[in-house]
């Protein structure tokens, strides 16, 4: 088996062998050789094998052979996969696409309704408590005062409740980034909790406050542990159903003289939706504890009120600059939910078919692509640097290029790159999507060199210690931004 030094030398030889044919000047060949030597040395210093790296980079206005290594290798892309979902969504749904939440009924509005109202989710990414209040208020304004029930219809996504079978991605399933998609994305299923302790007691509250949800803190053992180290793990929270309320019981240890505020997935979706709907309808109409039912309601055809999310072009800024997994997964399923097929077909399967059909339509080989949820928060998703770069090249030449470009982090300035490239020649000159998992570090996007040429780049490191190799990917971007047509 070759040594690490031998492998690093092999990387230089493998890449530069292909570069001499594409470079007509000795100086360019020398600079490329120097780059490969630098990357190899950085891999060696990070104790990473050369086969952990795969990348491709080339100026979009040149027919020269790309600078690449293992560019056809299927790699875990982490959150750079969001670019695939973003590009396909722009092409298939359009930049002004808006998801919806509707309040429907089976009959014309009347003071006393004979059948339930229906809250139907259509993938709305911005549906919160205030917007729910607005929909219910609009029903009240149309004369509705009493209703037998409210049905919640999540059937636009199939399955409507994936958490019943989904395994947690990691050890913090309550965090926002682990949020599962939902056709009724009410409050993003998130609830705030604030806890504060003295030397001998703990108190707390939820936000927004829910009148039928009670927080019990008298079972907590106070300790002298560090406040910063405490986290509400699942075994710290126990739920108990009482006849008239739901109790969340805090157990285990909690630091003395500590104040913690978190925004977490504390309740399952049916409970949170029920409590919010009941409380708001009571505040608006005076009717107490209206039954809230989870079931499809395709026969409810009377539209009473509707909320629309922001336009897709705006949502993409959250998806790519902030690397929002939850919004990406909503968008990915929207691709499949738009297609009318057999009701038993999984929405995710239809979404994958939409992505692959689009790639085929622009004549891209997608054999390296493995999709799960379109966000990169996955242990199974794969793509080659070659395919990623080719798709980015297509997007750069498409009519929706401005919408994609404006959604991507600017090196050293905002988003997930705000604190990266701050002292680099690439600052302000590259728009790149980052990707980070335990075993992945990745960059993909566009960079501008000294001559104003735009380069496309896709680079991945897959290894249990991948984080050590970030400097390798950053060096590649720095090298690109320092090039010019005269050197």
């Amino acid at each position: 088996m070759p040594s690490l030094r031998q492998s690093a030398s092999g990387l230089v030889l493998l890449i530069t062998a292909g570069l001499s044919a594409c470079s007509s000047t000795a100086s360019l060949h020398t600079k490329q050789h120097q780059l490969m030597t630098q990357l190899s040395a950085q891999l060696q210093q990070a104790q990473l094998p050369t086969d952990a790296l795969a990348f491709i980079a080339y100026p979009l206005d040149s027919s020269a052979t790309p600078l690449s290594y293992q560019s056809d290798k299927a790699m875990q892309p982490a959150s750079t996969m969001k670019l695939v979902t973003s590009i396909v969504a722009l092409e298939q749904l359009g930049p002004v696409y808006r998801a919806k939440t509707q309040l429907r009924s089976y009959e014309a509005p009347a003071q006393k309704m004979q059948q339930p109202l229906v809250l139907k989710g259509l993938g709305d990414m911005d549906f919160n408590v205030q917007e729910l209040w607005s929909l219910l208020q609009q029903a009240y304004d149309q004369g509705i005062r009493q209703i037998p029930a409210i049905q919640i219809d999540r059937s636009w996504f199939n399955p409507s409740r994936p958490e019943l079978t989904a395994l947690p991605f990691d050890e913090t399933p309550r965090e926002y980034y682990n949020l599962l998609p939902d056709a009724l994305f009410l409050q993003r299923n998130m609830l705030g909790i604030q806890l504060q302790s003295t030397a001998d007691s703990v108190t707390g509250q939820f936000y927004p406050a829910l009148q039928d949800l009670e927080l019990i803190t008298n079972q907590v053992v106070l300790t002298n542990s560090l406040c910063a180290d405490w986290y509400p793990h699942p075994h710290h929270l126990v739920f108990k159903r009482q006849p008239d309320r739901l109790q969340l019981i805090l157990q285990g240890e909690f630091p003395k003289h500590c104040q913690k505020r978190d925004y977490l997935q504390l309740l399952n979706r049916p409970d949170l939706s029920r409590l919010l709907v009941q409380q708001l309808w009571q505040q608006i109409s005076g009717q107490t504890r209206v039954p809230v039912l989870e079931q499809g309601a395709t026969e409810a055809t009377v539209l009473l009120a509707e909320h629309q999310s922001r336009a897709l072009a705006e949502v993409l800024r959250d998806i790519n600059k902030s690397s929002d997994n939850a919004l990406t997964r909503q968008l990915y399923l929207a691709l499949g939910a738009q297609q009318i097929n057999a009701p038993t077909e999984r929405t995710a399967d239809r979404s994958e078919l939409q992505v692959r059909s689009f790639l085929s339509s622009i004549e891209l080989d997608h054999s390296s692509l493995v999709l799960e949820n379109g966000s990169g928060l996955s242990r199974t998703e794969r793509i080659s640097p070659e395919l990623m770069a080719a798709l980015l090249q297509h997007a750069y030449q498409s009519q929706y290029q401005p919408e994609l470009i404006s959604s991507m982090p600017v090196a050293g300035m905002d988003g997930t790159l705000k604190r990266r490239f701050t002292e680099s020649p690439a600052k302000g000159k590259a728009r790149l999507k980052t990707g980070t998992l335990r075993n992945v570090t990745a960059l993909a996007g566009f960079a501008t060199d000294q001559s104003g040429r735009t380069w496309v780049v896709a680079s991945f490191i897959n290894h249990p210690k991948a984080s050590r190799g970030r400097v390798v990917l950053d060096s590649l971007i720095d090298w690109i931004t320092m090039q010019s047509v005269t050197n």
Side-chain angles (χ1 to χ4, degrees):
M1 183 174 182
S3 68
L4 187 61
R5 181 177 298 277
Q6 290 171 327
S7 297
S9 300
L11 173 61
V12 176
L13 292 173
L14 280 170
I15 300 178
T16 56
L19 292 174
S20 57
C22 72
S23 171
S24 60
T25 67
S27 61
L28 179 56
H29 184 207
T30 300
K31 285 182 176 292
Q32 292 169 334
H33 187 279
Q34 290 171 345
L35 169 65
M36 297 310 145
T37 302
Q38 178 185 349
L39 299 186
S40 298
Q42 289 170 337
L43 283 170
Q44 184 175 359
Q45 186 175 8
Q47 297 183 317
L48 293 172
T50 55
D51 65 0
L53 172 67
F55 72 89
I56 188 169
Y58 53 90
L60 292 173
D61 64 350
S62 172
S63 59
T65 302
L67 179 69
S68 67
Y69 179 65
Q70 298 193 123
S71 62
D72 61 349
K73 183 177 181 179
M75 302 284 280
Q76 279 189 263
S79 284
T80 61
M81 185 64 88
K82 292 179 172 66
L83 293 172
V84 176
T85 299
S86 298
I87 293 167
V88 176
L90 279 171
E91 297 276 357
Q92 300 285 60
L93 303 178
V96 298
Y97 167 78
R98 296 174 186 268
K100 302 173 184 178
T101 306
Q102 296 177 337
L103 186 64
R104 298 180 176 184
S105 66
Y106 294 87
E107 56 192 320
Q111 182 172 345
K112 187 174 182 179
M113 301 291 284
Q114 300 302 309
Q115 298 188 75
L117 300 186
V118 175
L119 190 62
K120 182 172 182 61
L122 295 166
D124 186 347
M125 303 167 191
D126 298 323
F127 191 57
N128 56 28
V129 173
Q130 290 75 22
E131 303 302 341
L132 173 60
W133 179 91
S134 177
L135 293 189
L136 296 174
Q137 181 65 48
Q138 289 179 66
Y140 185 85
D141 292 343
Q142 294 175 56
I144 298 174
R145 298 294 182 269
Q146 286 190 317
I147 53 178
I150 292 181
Q151 290 175 265
I152 292 181
D153 183 351
R154 306 180 196 266
S155 62
W156 201 58
F157 290 163
N158 181 34
S160 60
R161 293 188 59 194
E163 80 273 14
L164 296 177
T165 56
L167 295 174
F169 180 76
D170 57 18
E171 298 79 14
T172 56
R174 296 182 186 276
E175 291 291 339
Y176 172 70
Y177 72 86
N178 272 319
L179 184 62
L180 295 174
D182 192 338
L184 186 74
F185 210 43
L186 174 56
Q187 199 66 10
R188 303 190 182 184
N189 200 44
M190 303 294 285
L191 187 63
I193 182 172
Q194 181 169 313
L195 301 167
Q196 50 274 326
S197 66
T198 62
D200 44 33
S201 67
V202 181
T203 57
Q205 57 273 340
F206 300 108
Y207 52 96
L210 296 172
Q211 61 190 19
D212 290 335
L213 177 63
E214 182 181 13
L215 179 62
I216 306 296
T217 61
N218 58 12
Q219 298 183 22
V220 175
V221 176
L222 288 164
T223 68
N224 292 317
S225 57
L226 293 176
C227 184
D229 293 340
W230 188 85
Y231 180 80
H233 291 289
H235 60 272
H236 289 149
L237 300 170
V238 175
F239 293 92
K240 183 177 292 186
R241 297 184 184 276
Q242 302 293 354
D244 60 345
R245 66 184 56 246
L246 182 65
Q247 292 179 328
L248 190 153
I249 304 169
L250 186 66
Q251 297 182 337
E253 298 180 345
F254 192 81
K256 297 178 182 178
H257 306 292
C258 177
Q259 182 168 329
K260 297 290 286 189
R261 186 181 176 98
D262 286 291
Y263 197 55
L264 302 166
Q265 300 182 67
L266 293 173
L267 302 180
N268 65 43
R269 290 182 291 175
D271 279 325
L272 182 60
S273 301
R274 173 178 58 82
L275 293 174
L276 286 170
V277 167
Q278 286 177 332
Q279 181 165 310
L280 292 181
W281 180 247
Q282 180 178 339
Q283 291 172 357
I284 291 170
S285 71
Q287 185 178 2
T288 60
R289 290 195 176 87
V290 60
V292 177
L293 314 172
E294 293 268 344
Q295 59 189 64
T298 55
E299 302 86 0
T301 58
V302 180
L303 181 63
L304 301 175
E306 180 179 86
H307 175 262
Q308 295 187 355
S309 69
R310 292 166 294 159
L312 174 59
E314 298 177 63
V315 174
L316 288 183
R317 292 177 64 85
D318 285 347
I319 285 177
N320 291 321
K321 285 189 181 289
S322 303
S323 204
D324 193 306
N325 292 297
L327 294 186
T328 311
R329 297 179 72 169
Q330 288 285 117
L331 180 60
Y332 181 72
L333 289 188
L335 290 170
Q338 297 289 328
Q339 310 306 311
I340 301 175
N341 280 300
T344 57
E345 191 175 4
R346 292 176 67 251
T347 306
D349 293 340
R350 300 206 301 267
S351 297
E352 179 175 352
L353 181 60
Q354 285 297 106
V355 173
R356 293 189 182 279
S357 295
F358 172 74
L359 294 176
S360 294
S361 73
I362 58 175
E363 299 182 343
L364 292 184
D365 177 6
H366 48 85
S367 58
S368 69
L369 183 66
V370 178
L371 286 165
E372 183 183 7
N373 55 48
S375 75
L377 188 71
S378 166
R379 307 295 182 198
T380 61
E381 290 194 324
R382 299 287 189 279
I383 192 171
S384 68
E386 192 171 74
L387 175 56
M388 179 69 81
L391 182 58
L392 284 166
Q393 180 176 0
H394 166 85
Y396 195 84
Q397 297 163 346
S398 89
Q399 60 184 327
Y400 302 131
Q401 179 232 74
E403 284 77 15
L404 177 69
I405 293 290
S406 64
S407 78
M408 297 170 68
V410 182
M413 299 181 71
D414 72 355
T416 56
L417 290 179
K418 185 175 184 178
R419 295 178 178 84
R420 195 166 169 183
F421 297 103
T422 55
E423 304 297 328
S424 159
K427 182 178 181 180
K429 299 178 68 176
R431 289 181 177 267
L432 303 163
K433 182 71 199 75
T434 58
T436 304
L437 289 174
R438 287 176 187 161
N439 61 323
V440 182
T441 186
L443 284 174
F446 306 99
T448 304
D449 69 14
Q450 297 291 316
S451 297
R453 296 179 301 175
T454 299
W455 291 58
V456 64
V457 58
S459 54
F460 309 129
I461 291 179
N462 286 187
H463 188 270
K465 303 295 183 182
S467 60
R468 297 175 178 174
R470 178 179 287 190
V471 65
V472 178
L473 306 189
D474 289 3
S475 293
L476 176 60
I477 303 301
D478 287 344
W479 184 88
I480 290 171
T481 58
M482 292 299 292
Q483 301 311 297
S484 74
V485 293
T486 59
N487 61 18

